[in-house]
Amino acid sequence: MNIKHLEHLLAVADTKSFSRAAESLFITQSALSRSIQALEDELGSRLFDRIGKRNELTPLGQDVVIRARQIVQDACELRRSVQLFQQGSGGEIRVGLGSGPGALLMTPLLHHIAEHHPEVRVSITRGTTELQLGQLRARQLEALVVDARRVIPAPDLLIEQVAELRACFICRADHPLAKSPSVTISQVLNYPVASTPLSDEVARIMVNHYGAEADPAQMTTLQCEDVGSLIDTVEHSKAVFLGVAAAARDGLQAGRLVELRMTPKLEATARYAYVTLVGRSEAPVMTLFRQFVAERLQE
């Protein structure tokens, strides 16, 4: 079956117009009509019924469109596999990183590729998980590393958990709470609380652990997707950071930052997932990225 005919059918089905479909395909409307006619002749039945000035899919046409999407996708993936094979050791890493993974991976990844794999191109996208999922589905990105709790499972997504890192409250070393042997959530709330947007599941954990006043929607006063900016703010103010300890590793090791000794102790983790599209051919260079993620996303 001619893939081009199927692609033309999908264009008409998506635009609901022969003229708009022909324009999007950069072919004449008569050429598009001949392509659809050839497909109908091959299948032995009509795919469109003309109703007034509209072309409506027949029941068979609707079924063929569904099947054609998979066939065209498989053909695209086959062509992509050939291209990836021809790339050899080079290629491009196009990935989206969530707030936590971005703080832990972005700069080290750029340094690593520049030093050890200069032939590889790297493009990193930041933003909300919802935005990045849209870019993944549009095939603008190869993979995401994001908060697993913020990804809604779907048939087209392959979600692999890659790390679970401990969360805590962190402040600068000379903060009024830094040397206290026991810190309550009420004491923390006397200061600005800095955090990335948290999932509903984490919010429930916080409320169950510390009570209603720990609801992140009310507790967090400084919020953004850039963990580095949040931690920098904590180092230069009396704000308290709520997030994974690994994201503040440098400041903790240098003694500029300290973990607060909470009562009760915070029992929460951040779960990070590696997300790709089901059936999507993986570029050989993405194996390098997978290995890097596994090595870096650790306490």
Side-chain angles (χ1 to χ4, degrees):
M1 186 169 294
N2 191 305
I3 296 296
K4 281 295 182 185
H5 294 337
L6 296 179
E7 291 175 340
H8 294 168
L9 171 65
L10 293 178
V12 178
D14 291 340
T15 62
K16 303 186 186 308
S17 164
F18 269 72
S19 60
R20 288 196 297 270
E23 184 178 352
S24 69
L25 293 167
F26 302 102
I27 62 176
T28 65
Q29 190 169 340
S30 59
L32 176 59
S33 296
R34 289 195 299 271
S35 177
I36 298 298
Q37 181 63 57
L39 181 59
E40 290 179 328
D41 291 344
E42 184 175 359
L43 293 174
S45 185
R46 293 187 61 80
L47 300 177
F48 288 93
D49 280 332
R50 188 162 187 82
I51 303 174
K53 294 184 178 181
R54 295 180 295 119
N55 288 282
E56 297 287 342
L57 285 165
T58 65
L60 173 64
Q62 294 172 9
D63 182 64
V64 171
V65 164
I66 293 173
R67 295 171 183 269
R69 290 194 191 282
Q70 186 61 54
I71 294 171
V72 170
Q73 180 178 322
D74 289 345
C76 289
E77 286 303 317
L78 180 59
R79 288 194 292 266
R80 173 179 161 80
S81 295
V82 173
Q83 293 170 350
L84 293 175
F85 179 79
Q86 293 172 340
Q87 286 177 0
S89 60
E92 182 177 9
I93 295 174
R94 295 180 301 149
V95 295
L97 299 179
S99 53
L104 294 166
L105 296 174
M106 186 165 67
T107 300
L109 175 63
L110 293 175
H111 289 180
H112 179 75
I113 295 298
E115 183 175 357
H116 300 288
H117 304 279
E119 76 282 2
V120 173
R121 296 169 59 89
V122 177
S123 176
I124 299 174
T125 297
R126 304 293 301 277
T128 66
T129 301
E130 294 72 22
L131 173 64
Q132 293 188 33
L133 284 170
Q135 293 171 315
L136 179 69
R137 287 184 164 116
R139 288 172 165 71
Q140 297 168 359
L141 300 174
E142 300 289 337
L144 309 179
V145 184
V146 293
D147 182 347
R149 294 184 173 103
R150 294 177 65 181
V151 180
I152 300 174
D156 64 332
L157 298 179
L158 180 60
I159 305 170
E160 306 168 65
Q161 185 168 316
V162 292
E164 187 163 2
L165 303 182
R166 179 176 57 86
C168 62
F169 287 93
I170 293 173
C171 66
R172 71 185 194 186
D174 62 349
H175 193 283
L177 299 178
K179 297 187 184 305
S180 176
S182 176
V183 179
T184 66
I185 196 67
S186 296
Q187 290 176 294
V188 170
L189 294 179
N190 289 325
Y191 303 92
V193 176
S195 179
T196 61
L198 301 175
S199 67
D200 292 341
E201 183 178 346
V202 172
R204 286 193 293 271
I205 292 173
M206 295 297 298
V207 170
N208 291 338
H209 215 58
Y210 294 113
E213 62 183 344
D215 183 352
Q218 303 300 321
M219 177 180 65
T220 303
T221 55
L222 303 173
Q223 184 180 92
C224 72
E225 292 281 355
D226 186 357
V227 175
S229 295
L230 295 174
I231 292 174
D232 185 69
T233 299
V234 169
E235 288 199 31
H236 294 87
S237 72
K238 291 184 179 179
V240 176
F241 173 68
L242 168 60
V244 294
R249 183 186 294 125
D250 291 345
L252 292 169
Q253 291 177 345
R256 301 190 306 272
L257 300 173
V258 296
E259 288 188 34
L260 291 179
R261 294 178 281 274
M262 298 298 297
T263 301
K265 183 179 179 181
L266 179 58
E267 301 288 349
T269 59
R271 296 175 187 166
Y272 297 137
Y274 190 98
V275 184
T276 54
L277 289 179
V278 172
R280 179 81 163 147
S281 300
E282 185 170 87
V285 73
M286 292 303 292
T287 301
L288 167 65
F289 178 68
R290 279 182 178 272
Q291 292 171 346
F292 187 85
V293 170
E295 293 170 0
R296 295 291 304 192
L297 285 188
Q298 298 181 18
E299 293 289 354

